[in-house]
Amino acid sequence: MLAHFLNPAKSGLAHNLKRPLTLTKQLRAFATVDRNTPRVQPPPSRKRATPITHDRATFTIRDGPIFNGKSFGAKTNISGEAVFTTSLVGYPESLTDPSYRGQILVFTQPLIGNYGIPSADRDEHGLLRYFESPNLQAAGVVVADVAEQYSHWTAVKSLGEWCAEEGVPAVSGVDTRAIVTYLREQGSSLARITIGEEYDADQDEAFVDPEQIHLVRKVSTKAPFHVSSGSGDLHVAVLDCGVKENILRSLVGRGASVTAFPYDYPIHKVAHHFDGVFISNGPGDPTHCQDTVYHLRRLMETSQVPIMGICLGHQLLALAAGARTIKLKYGNRAHNIPALDLTTGRCHITSQNHGYAVDTSTLPADWKEYFVNLNDSSNEGIIHKSRPIFGTQFHPEARGGPLDSSYLFDTYLESVARHKTSQSTFQPDRDKRPSPLLVDLLAKDRVGVVPTTGMENLLRMGAAGEEAARAA
């Protein structure tokens, strides 16, 4: 099992692991190993940080209205896809959700920032207690009114200070009602935030479409990492397409240790070492992840392991099954969206953040719709008719949002436990728990994930990365 993870030729990570293990790392095999090695987050890089600015700011929608306001974040200009969220609370969690990578997030809640930004404390599993990833993920922030004075027992800084530290521009003093009305009528649109400059129509050509960029590649870990449960004997493989901390917490808190892999890892080659496979959320167009779709298709063809997908993971599961996905007009981003369970007739209030959905009319005969959105009738889940495989478009782990559907993690892990029991009948001596050596050698957090930058920079980085990949 260890060879699959650490041998680049076998794991498919040769392009990520250019250097062999050093003698020091090899000698670690003889060291005393602690299964519960804490996850240590390196000090954050402040290369993108700028002084907080209160200059004139312009929010421009391509081929649409222009809104003038005041900056309260970083002094930098960016371009991205403008989307809106109707969430009333949970802005630290939303802004650190990797699914928002490349997007300018417009809040419909009139006042944002009143309870500040909490610290980067970690819980007993080494997971971030208040954030969903180590960095602010949105490309930009737009609010009607920002609270520069905050009050909350967990707060250590203001929203403006955080945006400036993370190099993310933020605009206040604009009519977010007019912005949302436009986006609801026209759909999600390309937009720019310009700090300290007058709008120039000639710059329209500078708008960059995030759909041109493989965003999952930016937010996914570049090498496997491990999170120990500390209790329980289940071991789940997670395909990290931009996984949220609370998804990992929802698994390890229920007794399943997690080993997370890059989004394009050939998971079908190592699935027999695990009790279950999980596909995480993530940003952008699911059709960019063709390698992942292929690996999932091969996984379902060659293994009976239970599988669960959330958000983008749900869409990738559908693509691997043979269905198609569609882009929604303006998506669903809120903490109060009703989803109907078609197997029980019960309605759950769910947390959502997505711009794409599964076209259920293209599902194969051995799949059926699991959940449906009661607002727009879009698909919210699929389930295999005879195997323990399902996906949900909404977020059962929430953060923020209601936990009505968190029981789905219990449903998944119950199927994982049954699979483990059935496998032990044929292989009674097989133990799929992670070895202490594996736990010690693997990283304890995401590896090589680049913090968010303006979309122009992302596009250049993406083009350079693809050129380097072709050269390799």
Side-chain angles (χ1 to χ4, degrees):
M1 178 179 180
L2 187 63
H4 279 285
F5 299 154
L6 300 181
N7 186 328
K10 292 184 179 181
S11 68
L13 289 176
H15 64 289
N16 290 324
L17 306 176
K18 296 293 185 183
R19 294 175 294 181
L21 290 174
T22 63
L23 178 60
T24 301
K25 287 188 175 181
Q26 293 173 6
L27 291 176
R28 291 176 70 185
F30 300 101
T32 301
V33 178
D34 180 5
R35 182 180 296 273
N36 294 316
T37 305
R39 302 172 81 225
V40 179
Q41 173 69 13
S45 171
R46 295 303 181 199
K47 293 182 180 179
R48 300 170 299 129
T50 74
I52 191 170
T53 175
H54 297 289
D55 295 342
R56 172 192 174 92
T58 305
F59 176 66
T60 307
I61 299 177
R62 186 175 191 179
D63 299 324
I66 302 169
F67 298 89
N68 295 312
K70 184 175 72 172
S71 168
F72 68 91
K75 190 171 185 178
T76 184
N77 301 335
I78 58 92
S79 174
E81 181 185 23
V83 300
F84 66 90
T85 175
T86 61
S87 304
L88 301 181
V89 295
Y91 56 85
E93 295 91 336
S94 292
L95 290 171
T96 54
D97 183 347
S99 296
Y100 279 117
R101 177 64 73 99
Q103 296 179 328
I104 300 173
L105 188 56
V106 180
F107 287 88
T108 62
Q109 169 72 358
L111 179 65
I112 295 293
N114 55 306
Y115 57 90
I117 299 300
S119 68
D121 289 349
R122 291 179 177 262
D123 64 13
E124 66 275 17
H125 304 295
L127 295 163
L128 289 164
R129 194 180 299 275
Y130 305 116
F131 301 130
E132 291 308 306
S133 71
N135 294 102
L136 202 160
Q137 298 288 342
V141 180
V142 178
V143 303
D145 189 17
V146 63
E148 297 183 0
Q149 299 296 322
Y150 57 87
S151 177
H152 196 272
W153 66 273
T154 63
V156 296
K157 66 187 70 172
S158 70
L159 176 58
E161 290 169 335
W162 186 43
C163 288
E165 288 177 2
E166 292 286 327
V168 174
V171 182
S172 67
V174 296
D175 188 350
T176 52
R177 297 169 302 177
I179 295 173
V180 171
T181 298
Y182 180 86
L183 294 178
R184 284 181 64 90
E185 293 174 352
Q186 301 298 321
S188 299
S189 305
L190 300 184
R192 286 184 61 86
I193 292 179
T194 307
I195 307 298
E197 300 175 10
E198 295 288 346
Y199 170 72
D200 184 352
D202 293 336
Q203 291 186 350
D204 272 357
E205 62 184 20
F207 287 90
V208 177
D209 187 352
E211 291 187 10
Q212 301 178 44
I213 303 167
H214 197 324
L215 294 172
V216 172
R217 184 180 294 156
K218 304 299 179 186
V219 299
S220 174
T221 185
K222 303 304 181 288
F225 69 90
H226 183 82
V227 186
S228 291
S229 169
S231 63
D233 59 355
L234 300 178
H235 191 192
V236 171
V238 172
L239 280 180
D240 174 20
C241 301
V243 65
K244 293 171 62 179
E245 293 281 285
N246 206 41
I247 287 179
L248 299 176
R249 183 180 293 106
S250 296
L251 293 170
V252 299
R254 288 171 167 82
S257 293
V258 165
T259 299
F261 294 89
Y263 76 98
D264 57 351
Y265 193 92
I267 196 65
H268 58 286
K269 295 183 178 180
V270 297
H272 59 285
H273 292 294
F274 296 89
D275 303 309
V277 172
F278 191 99
I279 318 153
S280 84
N281 64 293
D285 186 344
T287 60
H288 286 169
C289 302
Q290 290 302 315
D291 287 343
T292 310
V293 171
Y294 171 76
H295 296 151
L296 290 173
R297 185 178 298 122
R298 294 284 292 124
L299 174 65
M300 290 189 286
E301 291 171 350
T302 60
S303 174
Q304 294 296 313
V305 67
I307 305 172
M308 177 180 176
I310 286 179
C311 199
L312 179 70
H314 156 74
Q315 297 162 10
L316 295 175
L317 190 61
L319 290 173
R324 292 196 297 267
T325 57
I326 55 175
K327 183 170 176 60
L328 300 174
K329 185 175 181 179
Y330 47 81
N332 287 305
R333 298 172 181 88
H335 295 163
N336 61 345
I337 297 178
L340 179 66
D341 183 341
L342 297 177
T343 65
T344 66
R346 294 180 178 179
C347 176
H348 306 286
I349 304 301
T350 64
S351 176
Q352 300 195 17
N353 169 21
H354 62 97
Y356 291 82
V358 174
D359 180 358
T360 54
S361 68
T362 64
L363 280 174
D366 50 355
W367 291 79
K368 65 180 181 180
E369 192 168 22
Y370 193 178
F371 291 90
V372 64
N373 188 308
L374 292 180
N375 286 343
D376 62 9
S377 299
S378 61
N379 173 254
E380 292 291 350
I382 60 173
I383 187 170
H384 197 279
K385 292 181 178 180
S386 60
R387 296 174 58 183
I389 307 174
F390 71 93
T392 66
Q393 186 61 73
F394 55 84
H395 287 264
E397 84 290 347
R399 282 294 175 96
L403 295 172
D404 293 31
S405 55
S406 61
Y407 72 90
L408 290 170
F409 284 100
D410 299 314
T411 300
Y412 169 65
L413 290 178
E414 286 168 5
S415 68
V416 170
R418 285 194 297 270
H419 175 73
K420 180 182 181 69
T421 300
S422 67
Q423 291 299 298
S424 64
T425 303
F426 303 102
Q427 298 174 309
D429 298 326
R430 184 70 175 260
D431 186 359
K432 296 184 181 180
R433 288 178 296 179
S435 70
L437 177 59
L438 176 65
V439 171
D440 188 49
L441 288 177
L442 288 181
K444 304 301 181 291
D445 210 337
R446 308 158 209 253
V447 178
V449 178
V450 179
T452 187
T453 56
M455 292 309 298
E456 294 92 337
N457 293 335
L458 272 178
L459 189 59
R460 285 197 297 270
M461 292 164 59
E466 290 171 3
E467 184 175 341
R470 286 195 295 270

